[in-house]
Structures are given as C-alpha cells and as structure tokens.
Amino acid sequence: MRQFFAWLCLIVLMVFLVIGGFKMIHPFGEPPSAMDQYIIDNSQKEAGSNNVVAAVVFDYRGFDTLGEATVLFAAVTGVLLVLRAGAKKEEA
Amino acid sequence: MIETLIRNFPLVAAVVLMGIGLYILIFKRNLIKIVMGITILSSSVNLFLVTLGYRTGGIAPIYTDAPEGLMVLPVVQALTLTNIVIAVATSALILSLVIRIYRHTGSLDSKKSRRMKG
Amino acid sequence: MSKIVRTVANQLMLFVLVFGLYVIMHGHVTPGGGFQGGAVIASGVVMLIVAFGSGQIKKSLRERRLSLVESSGALLFILVAFAGIGTVFFYNFLVGSRIFGGIPPTGSNPGDVWTGGVIPLMNLGVGLKVIAGLSAAVLALALFSSGEEME
Amino acid sequence: MATLIEHSSILIIAVPLLIAFLTPLIGMASKKARNAVVIVGLSFVAFLVFALARDVILNGIHTYTLGATSPSLTIPEGAMMPIRIILEVDGVSVFMGIVVAIVSLVAVVYSLSSMKGETGQNRFYTLLLLMVAGAFGMVFTGDLFNLFVFLEITSISGAALVAFKTRFADSQEGGFKYIVVSAVASLMVLFAISLLYAQYNLLNIGALAAAMQYTMLDRIALVILIAAFAMKLGGVPMHMWLSDTYSVAPVSITVLLITVSQASMYALMRIGFILYGVTLDLAVVGWIIIAIGILSMFIGVTMAVRQTDITRLIAYNCVCESGFMLVGFGVGLAVLGNHTALRTYGTTAISGAIFHMINHALFEGLLFLVAGAIFYRIGTRDLNRMGGLGHTMKFTAAFFLLGALASSGLPPFNGFASKILIYESVYQFNPVLTIIGILVSIITLAVFVKAFFSAFTGAVLPKYEDIKEVPKTMIAAMTIFAVIIIIFGLFPGLIVDWIVRPATDALVDQASYINTIMGAIP
C-alpha cells in the first residue's frame, strides 16, 4: 500500500515536470534575459571584472556567497564537532 | 513530440535524474544510498539550472580574450556554483553522521538502526 | 603506500599548490575563483593523505592550525564586505582605487590581474577558507574511519 | 543613530556571522571571554532588532540593497528590475526578528550551564550563532535564492547541533533525519525557484510578485514550495522526523529549532501572501493549508497522548500547535480576495496566527527547557520513571505548569489570547474548524495534566531524594520566558496593537511590498 502510494506520487510528479519542461519553459537556448543582460553589459564597468560569473558571485550576489561560505564553514565545524574525540561512548 | 523531446534533451535528463534521486530516497534503506540519492537530486537541480541559462551558440561569460557572440546567462552559473558547494557541505556532514551511526549500531540499514519509534 | 608513490606525491604537491593559487588569484580574469582553487589544493591534500596515511599528515596539519586558517579566511571575507559599509555592505569600494582598482576596457580584452576591486581579496579569503575547511573535514573523516581520533 | 538604523538590517545578520567566525579564535584563548562575547553580541543584535522594529512600524518598509551605491537604490539606473540582493524588512519580518532575538538570547543563557563539562563547546557556540544568523537571514531577505541559502545554513548547523551528544546513538540518528529532510526540502525549494527564474528571469520576491502571471508552471512551483516548507516545519504528512529530532537535541538547540520551523512557516506565508498573493486560486490553496493544519492538530495531539517520553510528548504538541497557526493563515489566505470577509474576520485570523507564532515559540520553549532541566538532574526522559520531583524542584514544576496551561489555551495566559482570536474568526469562516480546535485544546490539557502529575506530584521516589534545583542561569533562562508569557497573557491587546497588527497589515498588503521595490517604475 505504502509502496503503491509512493510510486503514484513519484509518477505524478514526474509527469507534471515533464509536461512543464516541454510545454511551458521557454524553448531550449532562448531564455528570457533582461536581468542577466544588464549584468553582462555592466560587469566590467561596475565591478571591474572580466569574469562575469566572478562579478555575479562576489559583487552582484555577494551576500549569497557569504552565505555559501558560511554553509561550508558550518559543515566543516559540524563534521569536526560530530567526529570529535573525548566523548565517552555510552549506550543510550 | 519526439522533436520537442530531442530539442529539450537537457531538461529531460534533469527530470530523469530527479526521478532517480527521489526513487532512491523513497525506496532504499541503506544510509549510504540515501546520501547518494541526495547528491543525485542536487546534481539534477544543478543541471536544470545550468540548462536554463543556455543560449544557442552562446560563449562563456568571460571577457578575457572572448570571441564574438552572445554570452550565456551568468546568474544561473553563480547559483549553480553556490548549490555545488552547499551539496559538498551537506554530503560531508551526512557522511560524518553515517560514520557515527555505523560506529554505534554496526549497521547501515536504516530499519535496524531506527530504534526510536513514535 | 610505496616509496615511489610518496616521492611522486611530494613532487606533485608543489605543482598542485602553484596551480591552485593561480586559479584563486586569477578568479576575476579567467575561469576559476576561490572555491575552485581551494578545491584543487584540498584535493592535493587528499592525495597526500592517500600517499602517506592520515596518521602522518595529522602530525603536520594540526586541527588547531587548520581551524585558525579557516576562521581567518572567513574573517577576511566578511571584513572586506564590512569595509564597504561606509557606503553599503558589500559595496565594491576598491574599483578605481590603487589596489586592484583597474577598470578593464569594455568588450573583449586580454585581461589584467590588477582589476576587480574587492573580488580578488574575497577570492583569497574564500580560497584560504576552502583549503583549510575541506582539508580539515577530509582529514577528520579519514582519521575517524581509520580508528584514530582528531585532537 | 540614524546611520545605525539605516544599516541595522544587514548588521543583524552580519554581526552574528562575524562573531561566529571569531568564536573559534577567542575560544582557543579563553572560555569566559568567548561566552561574554557571544552574550554581548547577541544582546547588541537584539537591541538592533528592537530599534529596527520601532523604525519599521513608524516609517514603513525598510529596504537595504547590498553592494549598491546607496542602501535605498533598489533598481539601478538603466535597468527595469532589481539586480542586486535586497533585504526587505516589513512588519512580519521584524515580528519574526523579535521572536528569533528573544529565543536566541534565552537559548545562550540556558546553554551556559547546561553545556558545562561537555567537549566541543567552541564549535557548539559557533554553530549556534550561525543558526541564529541563518534564521535572521531567512526572515529579513527579499530574495528567493538568498532565502534558500539561509535555509541551508540553518539546516546544516541545526543538524550538526542535534547530533551534538555524540555518545548517544539516538542523537546521531536525529541529526541524520533532520539533515536528510532539510536537504530534500531545500533542494525542492531550489527547484521551484529555478522554475520561477526560468519564466521571469528574476529572483527578487517583490519583482516576481509584480510579474507573476500564475501560469501552469507557477502552480507547479507553488505546489513544490508548499510541500517543501510544510516538510520543513513538520506539517502532518511529513511530521515523522520532528519528534525524533526535537527529543534528542540539547534542549537549548530544540528551542532554536522551533524558531527555525517558525521561520519556515514565515517563508510559506511570504510565498502565499506576497509572492503569489491575489493571483492564487485562493480558496483551493487556503483549504490545502487548512487541511494540513487540521491534520497536524489532530495527529499531533493523538500521538502526544500515547507518549511516555516527556520531550517526545512536547514535540508532538509542537506539531499540534503549528496546526493552529496553519489554520489561521489558511483562513486568511482563503478570503484574501474577498474584501468584506477579509475585513470582518480574515485579518483577525491572520493576527491570531501571527500572535500564536510568538506564543508558540515562548511556551514550547519553556516546556522544552523544563524537560531539559529534568533531564539535567535525573538523567532520564521517561515519565514512568519520574515522580515527586515537585517537592525539590519547585521552580521547574511551576514553570512546567505555566507552559502547559499556556499551551492548552487557558486564560489568563498567552496561548488563550491568541487561540481566542483564531477561534472566533475561524468560527465565522467554518464552525467545524473551531470545534475541532477546541477539542484538540482540551485533549492537550489532559495530556499535560497527566504528564504533570506523573512527573512532579506524589511521594518522593527514594532515588531522587537528594535531587537539587537546577543552576541559577537555567532558572534565569526559564524565568525570562515565563515573565514574557505572563505579560503577553495579561496585556494581549497591547501586544496585538504594537507588533501583531502591523505584521498583519504588512502580510495582506502586497501592493506596498511590491511598490517599495519597484518604486517609480509603473
């Protein structure tokens, strides 16, 4: 029963996504690009960077990158926390 | 129909990858396989994102010695970069938890290790 | 691992370091950046762990030092972001100044490292963070699964 | 002061991050200095939150464009849409900010003594600060992808903290479940965001709302977003992870986890009311959310009845209480397009739900802290092995009773104040929902009364005769919650006027949210 339900969900989701992918997303290779074109045109002037992706990563969307660095910091801290020595093993 | 399918091939690939990832997450009980499922799921989202930014015949959005032509969209590439790093971080943390669970229970089967019942 | 592998790994590490630093410091001109270059150098560390064994590497890469480098990288990043707060947080205040202040000509050009404003500094901070962070995580996983403990 | 307020929204997020990066360095030198820095930093942040809240309530929505030449320059010259990440702080955001600020301070104060003697404290505080920064980021950001990044920060640091007690296998499994659920939920969120990006080439919430066409693809994105955030906040079909996680984490972390769930609920509401707004099939979406809410109430309370583990009991009560909020929001969403209904009872329902959010964080937080205090002294969470603790742990017993009564919605506590708002407005929408709500509240009361009697009353068990009251800082942390609960219970009208009403107005006013971003451009 549970298996059947899970399969049903999965298939319905996939069908939806495929229909969405085919019919409604812009044709492959021709995206709407108002925001991105602005960045491509202005990254050299505003951020002084030849690499537009670097300009997006560190200037236009720098806050995301700060978050991303924080995620990595948190994960490394978490790994070292979880695998730390000195925690005595007792059965719960 | 077939023609649209071929035209949108990267989107189909992303959806298929997503299906594989969800299948693993729902039906597999091995903890390492669950980690694999999450990684595949995040790869599918990455593929989907990069696909969205492609322009036919576009070049990489870097002006250093750039040839003539339209550039592909840079924002999705930045988003993908962010998501890749997040996926690395997530899988590192999950793997360390799996190692700990394995040390405690001696098993990677989620049914066996799941002692807590609601 | 055998002596041949260890010697080759030793020699290769130099090139890995040079390439990684190149990728980090040229992030604003060519493909690459802090995350990518950091991952390159961290994979070099993984190579050393495979060649020499995690116990050996632990002696030279102390967890304390790795934490120190990681925190300083993250601090460099956020402090550069804070430095722009005279205008706005994350403002690229170095464009047009003496340090990395060059503005490249619009359109295709050969590329100049001395551009990008705060981007190279942030790349450096992120690079340090990623090197130390990924090395520490991999080392901890390797040590723990081989039965030794970190710290 | 004016500059401080101008930059306050970013400082509230960046200062905890800065301290989090500093904590490992300071902690190497001195533990006391580290604790002092953490507390002072969070107090400073709390001060900024209150200053910002005052400013937002008086002067309207506060925006902050990161990296632009001026904080209020949302759209650069020559562009038609926002390019950079914008923090947009309106009434709901500051309301959630206040919740996070209060709860994080209490969690740190409580941790000072409950974590004493554990290894890895430097990393504990680092991750705690990261989690607080992530929660602030989630509620302040006006950018969808930024929301996703902060969601990931909270879930990764949260999972590591849930697994903090490495000597118990249970906590590792709790952490594992939490991170698997969070990772799947946030990947789904990212997928939905990319669907929206594919159509409009925008990531800003306000700009997206202005451009929203409500096509089929938007509907798919909406379904995925609702499912993902409902999963993250423990709504019923996906609630299985919640009790396993909440019951094994250190309690100060559980209190923060509740806040993070609230932030997910906030994100759900931001998406429902602001991003989609009146373009939605309001009744359908509203009823979906009401259905999740009713199921959560019902299943949460029935599962709570059969628990013998005190923390699991409270965790199921959390599921049940979040059902109340979902019902309130669902009713508000269902009548959003209908002006008379919205004015007569819709806004009241939303106010009740918003007010219940802060009350929920307070009383569930208090209950978890009490459970943690009991565990700290006697080392078990099993209700059957407790008894007579009220004779020695008088404060703890009183706090438990207070939290339990507030949670079951008895006057004169804060739970009553918010639940009555939900009851009376929902009654006008559909009386059956109110009846279910009242029934659930009564069962909740029964559950807590049973738990109270088996833990605190009766003869003192011989093995617990020399149990002492918990340390002073733990009492202090619980007292903060208790005092706020009593104040909110005694003067609900004041609180509703000060912070809840502006939050409600902000939530139903999609136009001003969009106009703040899009500004002069028609």
Side-chain angles (χ1 to χ4, degrees):
Chain A
M1 182 60 206
R2 210 182 139 173
Q3 287 239 330
F4 172 75
F5 185 68
W7 270 114
L8 197 73
C9 284
L10 201 63
I11 290 168
V12 167
L13 187 69
M14 286 303 114
V15 167
F16 257 93
L17 292 181
V18 169
I19 292 172
F22 284 165
K23 299 284 178 199
M24 277 153 300
I25 293 184
H26 55 77
F28 179 64
E30 295 151 32
S33 58
M35 175 171 77
D36 292 74
Q37 196 57 48
Y38 177 89
I39 292 175
I40 291 175
D41 294 341
N42 288 284
S43 82
Q44 286 180 308
K45 201 171 50 186
E46 288 183 6
S49 167
N50 265 345
N51 185 342
V52 184
V53 177
V56 174
V57 166
F58 286 105
D59 192 327
Y60 291 101
R61 301 191 70 82
F63 199 49
D64 277 349
T65 311
L66 181 60
E68 173 190 2
T70 311
V71 167
L72 194 58
F73 187 82
V76 171
T77 315
V79 169
L80 296 177
L81 182 77
V82 170
L83 299 182
R84 70 184 187 275
K88 274 179 292 173
K89 190 182 168 184
E90 297 166 22
E91 280 310 307
Chain B
M1 184 67 200
I2 296 294
E3 199 183 325
T4 39
L5 204 144
I6 293 170
R7 230 171 102 80
N8 292 318
F9 190 70
L11 293 178
V12 181
V15 171
V16 169
L17 270 180
M18 181 171 281
I20 295 172
L22 286 176
Y23 167 80
I24 292 174
L25 282 172
I26 295 172
F27 292 108
K28 295 291 175 184
R29 300 203 320 235
N30 188 315
L31 298 182
I32 297 284
K33 284 184 185 165
I34 291 178
V35 181
M36 288 177 176
I38 289 176
T39 319
I40 291 176
L41 201 61
S42 90
S43 310
S44 86
V45 177
N46 287 340
L47 179 61
F48 185 69
L49 270 172
V50 170
T51 306
L52 291 180
Y54 182 71
R55 280 166 164 176
T56 314
I59 56 167
I62 293 168
Y63 278 106
T64 309
D65 297 329
E68 283 296 308
L70 273 177
M71 288 182 172
V72 299
L73 306 191
V75 170
V76 268
Q77 303 203 6
L79 305 190
T80 311
L81 177 59
T82 307
N83 194 34
I84 289 172
V85 175
I86 288 175
V88 168
T90 313
S91 46
L93 185 58
I94 304 186
L95 283 174
S96 68
L97 286 173
V98 169
I99 292 179
R100 269 287 181 192
I101 293 175
Y102 185 72
R103 281 287 168 86
H104 276 295
T105 60
S107 158
L108 283 174
D109 192 332
S110 66
K111 281 273 159 56
K112 273 185 199 158
S113 63
R114 205 170 281 170
R115 294 186 226 167
M116 317 173 279
K117 283 279 189 281
Chain C
M1 286 282 176
S2 73
K3 190 152 192 174
I4 300 171
V5 177
R6 276 188 271 168
T7 318
V8 173
N10 244 340
Q11 306 301 323
L12 265 179
M13 191 59 202
L14 180 68
F15 296 100
V16 171
L17 273 176
V18 169
F19 181 63
L21 283 175
Y22 163 78
V23 171
I24 291 176
M25 287 319 293
H26 285 238
H28 53 298
V29 189
T30 56
F35 287 103
Q36 294 88 331
V40 167
I41 297 182
S43 61
V45 175
V46 174
M47 176 181 74
L48 290 184
I49 292 175
V50 171
F52 290 89
S54 43
Q56 281 284 325
I57 301 297
K58 189 178 96 174
K59 285 176 196 156
S60 44
L61 286 178
R62 296 273 166 69
E63 192 205 350
R64 249 175 107 87
R65 281 185 219 159
L66 285 175
S67 287
L68 204 73
V69 175
E70 195 190 5
S71 282
S72 2
L75 277 176
L76 175 64
F77 186 21
I78 198 171
L79 286 179
V80 171
F82 257 111
I85 210 164
T87 329
V88 174
F89 194 74
F90 261 108
Y91 181 64
N92 197 336
F93 63 99
L94 285 178
V95 167
S97 75
R98 293 248 186 94
I99 311 161
F100 289 111
I103 297 174
T106 309
S108 179
N109 64 68
D112 178 7
V113 182
W114 205 244
T115 55
V118 296
I119 296 177
L121 294 179
M122 285 182 171
N123 264 329
L124 185 64
V126 169
L128 284 178
K129 213 197 86 57
V130 172
I131 295 168
L134 285 185
S135 311
V138 171
L139 193 57
L141 285 168
L143 281 171
F144 195 85
S145 39
S146 65
E148 291 183 57
E149 302 275 354
M150 201 99 179
E151 282 180 317
Chain D
M1 191 64 197
T3 20
L4 195 63
I5 286 191
E6 192 183 11
H7 293 283
S8 59
S9 58
I10 186 65
L11 286 178
I12 288 167
I13 304 171
V15 167
L17 282 183
L18 183 69
I19 302 175
F21 296 149
L22 274 172
T23 309
L25 304 181
I26 302 174
M28 278 178 197
S30 145
K31 284 192 173 159
K32 281 197 174 147
R34 177 200 66 206
N35 293 350
V37 167
V38 170
I39 292 226
V40 169
L42 281 181
S43 315
F44 176 63
V45 168
F47 162 74
L48 282 180
V49 170
F50 282 107
L52 180 64
R54 184 173 165 277
D55 186 59
V56 166
I57 288 166
L58 290 181
N59 301 332
I61 299 177
H62 171 104
T63 56
Y64 193 89
T65 315
L66 288 153
T69 43
S70 136
S72 53
L73 185 74
T74 51
I75 298 176
E77 276 178 50
M80 298 290 285
M81 74 293 291
I83 304 289
R84 294 167 183 273
I85 295 175
I86 298 172
L87 302 180
E88 184 161 10
V89 185
D90 64 359
V92 205
S93 307
V94 285
F95 178 81
M96 289 306 297
I98 290 172
V99 177
V100 178
I102 293 175
V103 171
S104 60
L105 259 181
V106 172
V108 169
V109 172
Y110 190 87
S111 308
L112 286 184
S113 50
S114 74
M115 283 296 133
K116 200 167 273 178
E118 300 272 357
T119 51
Q121 282 195 48
N122 281 347
R123 301 205 176 97
F124 175 86
Y125 284 108
T126 308
L127 287 170
L128 196 149
L129 284 166
L130 291 180
M131 204 164 156
V132 172
F136 275 127
M138 271 179 81
V139 300
F140 280 178
T141 188
D143 190 281
L144 272 181
F145 190 76
N146 210 227
L147 179 71
F148 161 77
V149 170
F150 282 108
L151 188 66
E152 280 285 0
I153 292 179
T154 52
S155 38
I156 286 187
S157 47
L161 285 171
V162 169
F164 179 77
K165 292 179 177 163
T166 46
R167 56 186 184 278
F168 302 121
D170 286 2
S171 56
Q172 311 301 304
E173 286 168 24
F176 181 81
K177 278 186 189 176
Y178 187 69
I179 187 135
V180 168
V181 167
S182 311
V184 174
S186 33
L187 284 172
M188 287 293 124
V189 169
L190 181 59
F191 184 68
I193 292 171
S194 58
L195 284 178
L196 292 175
Y197 175 88
Q199 296 179 81
Y200 306 111
N201 195 28
L202 289 169
L203 287 167
N204 187 283
I205 295 177
L208 268 173
M212 181 66 67
Q213 310 274 323
Y214 203 51
T215 59
M216 190 66 199
L217 218 52
D218 290 338
R219 283 168 220 222
I220 297 176
L222 177 69
V223 169
I224 296 174
L225 282 171
I226 289 182
F229 280 116
M231 197 164 164
K232 196 78 196 1
L233 67 85
V236 140
M238 293 78 86
H239 67 289
M240 310 306 274
W241 61 274
L242 192 136
S243 56
D244 293 346
T245 303
Y246 281 15
S247 58
V248 295
V251 276
S252 44
I253 296 313
T254 312
V255 176
L256 271 177
L257 285 178
I258 294 174
T259 323
V260 171
S261 294
Q262 306 266 354
S264 300
M265 170 121 29
Y266 158 87
L268 190 56
M269 292 315 128
R270 175 67 80 205
I271 284 159
F273 282 91
I274 303 288
L275 180 61
Y276 285 85
V278 285
T279 57
L280 281 176
D281 284 339
L282 289 163
V284 177
V285 178
W287 271 104
I288 289 174
I289 291 179
I290 292 173
I292 298 177
I294 291 286
L295 275 174
S296 302
M297 277 155 70
F298 211 74
I299 299 206
V301 83
T302 41
M303 295 299 280
V305 170
R306 41 180 287 230
Q307 299 303 322
T308 55
D309 181 324
I310 186 164
T311 43
R312 292 180 75 82
L313 189 151
I314 305 170
Y316 276 112
N317 187 44
C318 270
V319 175
C320 166
E321 297 295 332
S322 42
F324 279 94
M325 288 171 253
L326 285 170
V327 167
F329 282 126
V331 169
L333 202 56
V335 299
L336 188 62
N338 180 343
H339 274 280
T340 42
L342 185 65
R343 203 147 323 131
T344 43
Y345 59 88
T347 47
T348 321
I350 301 171
S351 297
I354 291 178
F355 194 20
H356 204 60
M357 277 168 115
I358 191 166
N359 291 341
H360 173 77
L362 292 171
F363 57 67
E364 299 292 351
L366 181 62
L367 287 171
F368 270 115
L369 293 187
V370 168
I374 295 172
F375 184 73
Y376 182 80
R377 275 298 180 225
I378 69 175
T380 178
R381 294 188 286 248
D382 193 345
L383 279 170
N384 296 332
R385 284 158 62 190
M386 296 176 192
L389 294 173
H391 297 285
T392 45
M393 301 168 79
K394 288 199 175 59
F395 282 107
T396 315
F399 289 139
F400 185 83
L401 201 58
L402 181 66
L405 293 180
S407 170
S408 18
L410 287 191
F413 301 108
N414 61 353
F416 172 75
S418 50
K419 277 187 180 174
I420 195 76
L421 286 176
I422 297 178
Y423 290 153
E424 65 184 23
S425 55
V426 170
Y427 186 80
Q428 294 178 49
F429 179 74
N430 192 333
V432 181
L433 301 180
T434 306
I435 295 167
I436 296 177
I438 293 176
L439 272 177
V440 166
S441 279
I442 294 171
I443 305 176
T444 309
L445 182 64
V447 168
F448 277 121
V449 166
K450 185 193 120 199
F452 180 78
F453 278 113
S454 61
F456 292 104
T457 59
V460 184
L461 294 188
K463 58 182 167 179
Y464 299 143
E465 261 172 357
D466 46 355
I467 293 293
K468 285 196 265 331
E469 188 59 89
V470 289
K472 284 204 183 71
T473 44
M474 288 165 102
I475 296 279
M478 291 189 269
T479 312
I480 298 175
F481 272 159
V483 167
I484 301 176
I485 286 176
I486 291 173
I487 291 176
F488 277 21
L490 291 180
F491 310 106
L494 224 55
I495 307 298
V496 169
D497 283 345
W498 278 352
I499 52 177
V500 177
R501 188 67 65 192
T504 315
D505 293 343
L507 204 53
V508 295
D509 192 2
Q510 191 195 15
S512 69
Y513 192 89
I514 295 173
N515 286 343
T516 316
I517 293 290
M518 302 306 282
I521 292 184

